[in-house]
Amino acid sequence: MKVHLSDGEWKLMNALWETGPSTITELTRALQEDTGWSKHTIITMLARLESKGAVSHEEGGKAKRYTAALPREDAARSATEQFLGKVYGGSLGLMMSAMVSSRALSQADIDELSAILEQAKEGSSS
């Protein structure tokens, strides 16, 4: 599922991914220090995320409990594809070239990328 999330929606989704099902009050409390958002802002954002299919809720008790319906991995993949398309015309090679030329990669990053590429290489030769 491809869903575009705004920066604010990422904050809310991260809270749901980290804590699991939460009420509006719990989310407001969890995000208050970082964002200063009111309960009404959280309600508006949850409604928007529900319409995108990223969040669902259950009725029960005194308050609805909201859950991330979009897995974090799917959101990250979609955001990465969108970023690559917007900034680098979809070219992963162009992005990596830019990072290498700006010396933005640490040795740990290079080792991690090498391991990922090796895994991809093994997977494609099967």
Side-chain angles (χ1 to χ4, degrees):
M1 167 191 322
K2 288 193 178 193
V3 174
H4 172 72
L5 300 175
S6 68
D7 290 345
E9 290 169 338
W10 271 102
K11 287 181 186 282
L12 188 51
M13 291 299 294
N14 278 322
L16 287 170
W17 286 320
E18 289 169 17
T19 63
S22 302
T23 65
I24 291 168
T25 301
E26 291 166 343
L27 288 167
T28 303
R29 194 176 307 124
L31 293 166
Q32 180 62 46
E33 187 176 325
D34 184 42
T35 65
W37 292 338
S38 71
K39 175 181 164 181
H40 299 290
T41 300
I42 301 285
I43 291 168
T44 299
M45 291 181 76
L46 285 169
R48 193 167 54 212
L49 286 166
E50 270 195 293
S51 71
K52 291 181 177 187
V55 169
S56 62
H57 75 272
E58 293 178 4
E59 300 285 343
K62 294 181 181 179
K64 295 178 182 176
R65 296 196 66 74
Y66 290 85
T67 304
L70 175 66
R72 186 188 301 248
E73 298 76 21
D74 290 357
R77 186 177 308 107
S78 181
T80 301
E81 290 170 2
Q82 180 185 1
F83 172 77
L84 278 175
K86 183 178 2 177
V87 178
Y88 295 103
S91 172
L92 180 59
L94 185 58
M95 182 188 79
M96 293 308 301
S97 178
M99 292 183 76
V100 168
S101 67
S102 70
R103 304 194 194 297
L105 297 174
S106 68
Q107 186 60 49
D109 292 332
I110 294 168
D111 293 344
E112 182 179 7
L113 287 169
S114 293
I116 291 167
L117 292 172
E118 190 60 38
Q119 186 179 26
K121 190 180 193 180
E122 290 170 6
S124 68
S125 64
S126 300

